[in-house]
Amino acid sequence: MAEVREGVSLNTSPEVLGIEHSLDKPVYEKVKRLLDIILCLIAFPIGVVLVILAAIFIKIESKGSIFYSQERLGKSGKKFKLYKLRSMSIDAEKNGVQWAKRNDPRVTKVGKVIRKTRIDEIPQIWNILKGDMAIVGPRPEREVFYDKFENEGIPFRRRLLVTPGLTGLAQVNGGYDMSPEEKLEWDMVYMRERNFIMDMKIIFKTVTVVFTGSGAR
């Protein structure tokens, strides 16, 4: 089983990319959905406190909305509104749509902190409760990036075969440091091997990042 660690060499062999046969896990999916709801309800009070504190600093630093919503693609290409705390300047895309990267100059000072600790993603608890997302899964992206990468020969739409997640194997093994190809490879490994043990390892590492910043990208 794939380890939740850094420095793993991945490949794009048919065994990794041909994951369709691994998608039929009805018991896993139902139990995972129930656990997602329970964990989100448990985390909600702490999440509210962190969001309020972050919102105060966001408002002090810059004008504009505290929250940010954006259309993303979910399972089977279903569109939904993803919610985040705003971590970039209000004119972040004045030069057009851009793929987020490490040390992105569009990120505000407060944004650097909330992105490093993943606090900016907390509003997605609502997306999880609604069923748009799961706690663990490939990160949802905008349709424009799916189209772009597919045109470049990267089979990025394979990620739409499962419910997207708040965090994932790619996020805890590199995140913003990864190219689209590397991110896809990690997501394919998760989709092929996903199970409760892997999910808990990813959640544990993500929680560690939120409270310590250790390992954040």
Side-chain angles (χ1 to χ4, degrees):
M1 185 180 73
E3 297 274 341
V4 181
R5 59 189 175 86
E6 301 173 355
V8 178
S9 177
L10 300 176
N11 61 68
T12 54
S13 66
E15 182 183 8
V16 171
L17 290 178
I19 46 75
E20 285 83 354
H21 66 282
S22 302
L23 299 178
D24 187 21
K25 298 183 177 181
V27 175
Y28 165 81
E29 294 285 357
K30 290 179 181 179
V31 176
K32 179 179 179 178
R33 175 62 182 153
L34 178 61
L35 291 176
D36 280 351
I37 293 172
I38 293 172
L39 289 175
C40 281
L41 292 176
I42 292 173
F44 185 79
I46 297 176
V48 168
V49 173
L50 291 174
V51 166
I52 291 174
L53 290 174
I56 292 171
F57 287 104
I58 291 171
K59 205 63 180 177
I60 290 174
E61 181 182 18
S62 63
K63 296 180 180 179
S65 174
I66 294 169
F67 295 97
Y68 177 69
S69 67
Q70 194 175 70
E71 187 175 84
R72 301 287 176 102
L73 296 186
K75 185 176 181 180
S76 302
K78 180 181 177 181
K79 296 179 181 180
F80 70 96
K81 285 287 187 180
L82 176 142
Y83 301 99
K84 302 180 69 170
L85 286 169
R86 183 172 60 83
S87 61
M88 292 188 178
S89 58
I90 57 176
D91 60 350
E93 294 196 331
K94 62 181 180 180
N95 296 320
V97 176
Q98 299 179 49
W99 177 257
K101 57 187 178 181
R102 191 179 185 186
N103 298 321
D104 198 313
R106 300 171 297 163
V107 178
T108 63
K109 292 178 181 179
V110 173
K112 290 179 181 178
V113 175
I114 63 176
R115 284 164 76 96
K116 182 177 181 180
T117 57
R118 306 295 199 272
I119 290 173
D120 63 322
E121 311 285 5
I122 292 177
Q124 287 156 49
I125 287 177
W126 176 239
N127 287 118
I128 296 171
L129 292 174
K130 286 174 59 185
D132 298 326
M133 296 171 57
I135 291 179
V136 180
R139 282 294 295 165
E141 293 293 348
R142 285 187 276 180
E143 187 170 18
V144 62
F145 289 122
Y146 280 102
D147 291 342
K148 179 179 185 295
F149 300 145
E150 288 282 337
N151 289 333
E152 293 173 356
I154 306 170
F156 218 65
R157 286 187 177 270
R158 286 179 175 267
R159 301 165 81 252
L160 301 178
L161 292 170
V162 300
T163 303
L166 174 67
T167 186
L169 194 59
Q171 277 60 50
V172 298
N173 283 289
Y176 294 117
D177 286 342
M178 289 185 175
S179 67
E181 294 93 336
E182 293 170 323
K183 186 170 290 188
L184 175 64
E185 289 174 6
W186 278 113
D187 288 335
M188 292 301 98
V189 171
Y190 173 76
M191 291 166 68
R192 182 191 65 185
E193 301 185 11
R194 60 202 176 114
N195 56 61
F196 292 116
I197 293 177
M198 176 179 282
D199 286 346
M200 292 310 298
K201 285 183 177 180
I202 293 171
I203 290 171
F204 179 78
K205 187 166 184 179
T206 303
V207 170
T208 301
V209 169
V210 169
F211 285 101
T212 69
S214 175
R217 299 288 183 173

